[in-house]
Amino acid sequence: MNRGMMLKLENLVHLHCACRQLHSLSYRKIHRTQWKPLRSSTYPMRPVQLHPQLWQIDTFTSVALSQYRLLATKEGKRPGKQKLPPIKPKIERQEVKIQQRMTVQDLARAMDKDIDHVYEALLFTGVDLDSLEPDSVLEEVWIKEVVKKSGMKCKWAKLKQEKVRENKDAMRRPPADPALLTPRPPVVTILGHVDHGKTTLLDSLRKTQVAAMEAGGITQHIGAFLVHLPSGEKITFLDTPGHAAFSAMRARGTQVTDIVILVVAAEDGVMKQTIESIQHAKNAKVPIILAINKCDKPEADPERVKKELLAHDVVCEEYGGDVQAVHMSALKGENLMALAEATVALAEVLELKADSTGLVEGTIIESRTDQGRGPVTTAIIQRGTLRKGCILVAGKSWAKVRLMFDENGKTVDEATPSMPVEIVGWKEVPSAGAEILEVESEQRAHEVVDWRNYAEQQEKIKQDMEVIETKQKEHKDAYKKERERLSNLTWRQRKAALYKTNKHLIAMSSKERAESDRNVLPVIVKGDVDGSTEAILNILDSYNADDECELDVIHFGVGDVSENDINLAETFKGEASVLATFCVTVGKSKVPVAGCRVQKGQFDRKLKFKLIRNRDVIWKGFLTSLKHHKDDVQVIKTGMDCGLSLDKNIEFNIGDEIICYEEKKVERTISWDSGF
């Protein structure tokens, strides 16, 4: 039944009901006075209604109409009738779980927004957007302000109580029983000013020509040598560099030494590094033997040297002190035996002994990477006996000893206390000065290294929090001063002042603000040994021309400069790590896809990309696809997740790094006479 027929039927029913009502009213008006009910005294009388009441008619009409409507619905759908959408309930504001000390990136992730959204929400507030980075910690008031401006509401997240980890570190053993101690050779460190003859002195003692092989005749790294004297005595010498850049290495040399031989040139006297060497010896609390060198020269004045040393509390025996002084010439070999005898005599007074049993303890003097043998360390054994197969831990690296060499490059089967030895078998290059401890198994070595990495991470977090708290306090103070300055203005004047201050930030994204006016030079530092690398880094720390060009040390290590190092030094706009890998079917072929999270900068599909695995560049080129969720996009910003694919033959591994970069050709503008 169509809608037109139904409407006609409804009209007829209404008309019929209206006629019935009119008929009822007229009938009641005519017969109301004539009709009377008969009453009987025996039976009660009830009124009789000849016509139904009006409400019954309405009820009848409603039922009839409902039946017709039901019939119309069953027979077919009414054409042109659109079903009205259901009324949606009122949507409540999204809750954002917040917590103390959230970074900009953490807040953006909690809100399911990008980082630029947070920056935009912080416009026209007291936050210094120029100094705000993705890892900057926001104050609670600004966290709530961002959530409020985003149309959301805050909900404090429940803090997870991290389980306290058990200390798995390896420690030195308690002092040994004196009955187990046996005599050992003394460890002697040669200290003094540059070019005062330290290496020449060692050359004369061990009959080698180390100085001839060094660049410019200056020792570049620590060497440890065991010298056999004609008398049968043994002395282990440490040759430390004398150049000012190697101050930290000289300090490490005195940490393992028993005696310091202070070399002073008779014609030069006390110099800057001479004073520094004296201080190192005092800090290490070791005795000094004075070697006055170059006494064969006409301008030599040994007595002047002794008098100058009095000002630094180095008192020779001639002046009533306890410091032995030997006049010598290292170049001509004069009085070398007198110096050796003075060293042996002092060692006998010190009664140097060590425990040669149990787990090994020692100190790394120097570390380097050998092209054929991998990471190699020069170490002094201080306790126990080192043998092949021992499991060692030093810093955050560990080793299973494969080979050991003496100072002449000959293999040795064991190394006893005070013996210098080169160790091969390290998984990574440990730092010079690190403590060597032997452990029971490889599993135990892994536990120690894991614990030390964890402890270092916790310490770094603690230091970062201290810096953050300091910056927050400075920011609060500056914010209060700014508010006090604006307190006398009306709200309109205050808004205008804030807008005038921050209007240049509106059109700039966070990364544009960070990169707009910065000149950055990426730097790779590689040295032949760990100490040389450290010295170069110390020099770079003194660089103070960041306003012209900022130095960015992106990698440092030991070994030759490789092509991968140069690739790492290239300027790039962003980088991401691969968190998951999967394949998608395109046509009849499967394409590897990487699930990534951008950690720095942003991905721009128009730029070039490179895939890095274990510091090796696996692939270079342009992306074949870049998606955010299921949408194709051109740009992925910091903190956002994405899926991307490269060449269909390139497979991904979890942990791979993907870098977006731009190649530019820039003409040289630095002139060589600028003093650079």
Side-chain angles (χ1 to χ4, degrees):
M1 183 180 293
N2 57 28
R3 180 174 178 80
M5 293 181 64
M6 184 176 175
L7 291 175
K8 289 180 179 179
L9 181 60
E10 289 180 356
N11 292 334
L12 289 174
V13 172
H14 284 297
L15 180 60
H16 175 71
C17 293
C19 293
R20 293 281 302 270
Q21 291 176 6
L22 290 173
H23 182 268
S24 175
L25 289 174
S26 60
Y27 183 84
R28 289 170 60 186
K29 183 176 181 181
I30 297 171
H31 301 283
R32 182 171 47 193
T33 56
Q34 300 177 1
W35 178 81
K36 293 182 180 179
L38 298 175
R39 295 181 182 272
S40 173
S41 60
T42 308
Y43 299 100
M45 295 299 293
R46 296 181 180 175
V48 178
Q49 294 180 344
L50 299 179
H51 299 280
Q53 294 181 356
L54 291 178
W55 66 268
Q56 292 176 321
I57 298 173
D58 295 338
T59 303
F60 167 77
T61 305
S62 300
V63 172
L65 288 176
S66 64
Q67 294 297 325
Y68 287 125
R69 290 193 184 98
L70 180 60
L71 178 62
T73 305
K74 288 182 178 180
E75 288 184 356
K77 294 183 178 178
R78 291 170 287 183
K81 181 70 174 179
Q82 295 183 355
K83 187 177 180 181
L84 295 176
I87 299 176
K88 295 183 179 180
K90 185 179 180 181
I91 300 176
E92 295 185 358
R93 291 189 298 168
Q94 179 183 348
E95 289 186 343
V96 179
K97 293 183 178 180
I98 63 172
Q99 57 187 8
Q100 293 285 351
R101 305 186 186 284
M102 291 184 77
T103 63
V104 175
Q105 190 168 353
D106 293 338
L107 181 56
R109 190 177 296 116
M111 298 171 60
D112 195 21
K113 302 286 186 181
D114 57 29
I115 289 183
D116 283 342
H117 176 86
V118 179
Y119 283 108
E120 291 170 4
L122 290 173
L123 284 173
F124 307 117
T125 64
V127 178
D128 182 10
L129 296 180
D130 287 328
S131 62
L132 207 60
E133 295 294 334
D135 57 351
S136 300
V137 177
L138 294 172
E139 299 178 24
E140 180 183 335
V141 62
W142 303 127
I143 294 174
K144 294 181 177 179
E145 183 71 14
V146 172
V147 175
K148 180 181 177 182
K149 285 188 175 183
S150 303
M152 305 177 184
K153 61 180 181 179
C154 300
K155 179 181 179 181
W156 286 101
K158 295 182 179 179
L159 298 178
K160 296 181 179 178
Q161 294 183 351
E162 186 176 352
K163 185 178 180 181
V164 179
R165 292 182 58 173
E166 181 182 357
N167 191 333
K168 296 286 186 178
D169 202 1
M171 306 296 292
R172 284 183 177 265
R173 292 181 287 156
D177 186 351
L180 300 176
L181 302 180
T182 56
R184 63 173 179 84
V187 179
V188 180
T189 301
I190 308 294
L191 296 178
H193 193 72
V194 62
D195 198 30
H196 274 202
K198 300 183 299 298
T199 303
T200 305
L201 172 59
L202 284 173
D203 289 343
S204 300
L205 288 170
R206 57 196 168 110
K207 302 298 182 183
T208 59
Q209 296 297 322
V210 175
M213 296 183 290
E214 297 288 355
I218 298 177
T219 306
Q220 300 296 314
H221 50 77
I222 293 178
F225 311 93
L226 184 64
V227 176
H228 297 263
L229 301 178
S231 60
E233 302 288 344
K234 297 178 182 179
I235 302 176
T236 297
F237 285 97
L238 300 182
D239 180 17
T240 62
H243 195 274
F246 299 85
S247 175
M249 297 170 63
R250 290 201 301 277
R252 274 201 298 270
T254 60
Q255 291 174 359
V256 296
T257 191
D258 302 310
I259 300 171
V260 166
I261 293 181
L262 181 63
V263 179
V264 183
E267 81 278 21
D268 290 337
V270 176
M271 305 293 285
K272 179 179 179 180
Q273 276 123 38
T274 307
I275 300 172
E276 193 176 282
S277 300
I278 294 171
Q279 192 60 46
H280 287 322
K282 290 182 178 179
N283 293 340
K285 298 180 180 179
V286 293
I288 295 175
I289 295 177
L290 177 61
I292 304 178
N293 195 24
K294 303 183 181 182
C295 290
D296 56 319
K297 290 190 174 183
E299 62 272 23
D301 189 355
E303 296 302 320
R304 179 173 68 90
V305 173
K306 296 177 184 178
K307 291 178 181 178
E308 289 178 351
L309 289 173
L310 291 174
H312 304 285
D313 296 329
V314 178
V315 184
C316 297
E317 292 177 337
E318 294 90 332
Y319 294 95
D322 56 358
V323 176
Q324 301 179 74
V326 180
H327 299 189
M328 59 176 294
S329 172
L331 185 62
K332 295 183 177 181
E334 296 177 357
N335 276 347
L336 289 179
M337 288 301 102
L339 180 63
E341 290 172 0
T343 304
V344 172
L346 182 56
E348 291 177 353
V349 173
L350 297 175
E351 296 183 349
L352 301 174
K353 295 182 179 181
D355 177 15
S356 59
T357 63
L359 298 177
V360 173
E361 298 175 4
T363 300
I364 294 178
I365 300 301
E366 194 49 86
S367 59
R368 59 188 175 88
T369 300
D370 188 276
Q371 190 170 2
R373 298 181 292 181
V376 179
T377 61
T378 301
I380 296 291
I381 305 304
Q382 296 169 301
R383 189 174 182 181
T385 301
L386 182 63
R387 298 181 176 87
K388 292 182 182 179
C390 289
I391 308 298
L392 305 179
V393 174
K396 294 181 291 182
S397 180
W398 68 279
K400 184 176 183 179
V401 180
R402 292 192 290 111
L403 294 171
M404 294 186 295
F405 301 91
D406 62 10
E407 67 276 4
N408 298 316
K410 297 180 180 180
T411 57
V412 294
D413 295 328
E414 62 179 28
T416 54
S418 296
M419 182 175 177
V421 63
E422 279 193 335
I423 303 172
V424 179
W426 294 95
K427 305 303 177 184
E428 297 178 359
V429 180
S431 300
E435 180 183 65
I436 293 179
L437 296 176
E438 183 183 1
V439 293
E440 299 81 0
S441 63
E442 293 185 16
Q443 180 181 358
R444 175 68 178 129
H446 284 293
E447 289 179 353
V448 174
V449 172
D450 290 343
W451 166 259
R452 290 180 176 180
N453 285 323
Y454 170 76
E456 183 183 51
Q457 181 183 14
Q458 295 301 310
E459 182 63 25
K460 185 178 183 301
I461 291 175
K462 181 180 178 182
Q463 293 175 357
D464 290 345
M465 293 311 302
E466 292 176 354
V467 173
I468 289 170
E469 289 175 356
T470 302
K471 288 186 176 180
Q472 284 183 338
K473 185 177 183 303
E474 293 175 355
H475 178 264
K476 284 182 178 179
D477 294 341
Y479 177 72
K480 289 181 179 178
K481 290 181 180 179
E482 180 68 15
R483 288 300 175 183
E484 290 175 358
R485 184 179 68 85
L486 301 175
S487 60
N488 296 328
L489 303 178
T490 64
W491 71 271
R492 292 184 181 275
Q493 293 172 332
R494 191 180 303 118
K495 283 283 186 181
L498 291 174
Y499 176 78
K500 185 177 180 180
T501 304
N502 299 321
K503 67 178 180 179
H504 66 287
L505 302 174
I506 298 176
M508 299 178 65
S509 66
S510 60
K511 280 298 165 185
E512 289 173 340
R513 290 194 299 271
E515 297 175 358
S516 58
D517 298 324
R518 291 176 59 199
N519 292 322
V520 181
L521 176 64
V523 178
I524 297 284
V525 179
K526 299 295 283 290
D528 58 344
V529 293
D530 188 69
S532 300
T533 303
E534 179 186 28
I536 296 173
L537 292 175
N538 289 338
I539 293 175
L540 293 179
D541 286 340
S542 62
Y543 177 79
N544 59 357
D546 288 339
D547 54 336
E548 298 180 6
C549 180
E550 182 179 340
L551 296 184
D552 183 12
V553 181
I554 59 176
H555 176 67
F556 60 88
V558 177
D560 297 329
V561 177
S562 64
E563 183 180 355
N564 291 332
D565 295 328
I566 298 175
N567 290 332
L568 284 174
E570 294 177 359
T571 303
F572 54 86
K573 287 194 172 182
E575 61 183 9
S577 58
V578 177
L579 304 179
T581 61
F582 48 94
C583 291
V584 296
T585 302
V586 179
K588 296 183 179 180
S589 61
K590 291 186 176 181
V591 178
V593 176
C596 305
R597 176 169 297 160
V598 179
Q599 298 170 326
K600 180 180 180 182
Q602 65 181 18
F603 274 5
D604 191 335
R605 189 171 177 177
K606 295 181 295 185
L607 302 181
K608 280 191 172 183
F609 289 77
K610 64 176 65 173
L611 177 65
I612 297 177
R613 182 177 301 155
N614 298 326
R615 296 183 56 215
D616 295 328
V617 178
I618 306 298
W619 175 90
K620 286 184 178 181
F622 293 94
L623 298 181
T624 57
S625 68
L626 181 63
K627 292 180 179 290
H628 180 57
H629 298 303
K630 295 184 179 180
D631 300 326
D632 290 319
V633 293
Q634 292 294 327
V635 176
I636 296 291
K637 299 181 179 179
T638 304
M640 296 175 62
D641 295 335
C642 65
L644 57 86
S645 60
L646 313 176
D647 190 289
K648 65 180 180 179
N649 298 321
I650 299 297
E651 295 185 356
F652 301 97
N653 289 343
I654 295 177
D656 289 350
E657 294 182 15
I658 298 177
I659 291 178
C660 172
Y661 66 99
E662 182 178 8
E663 292 182 348
K664 289 183 179 180
K665 290 184 179 180
V666 181
E667 295 182 1
R668 186 190 303 275
T669 58
I670 299 177
S671 59
W672 293 109
D673 58 351
S674 60
F676 178 73

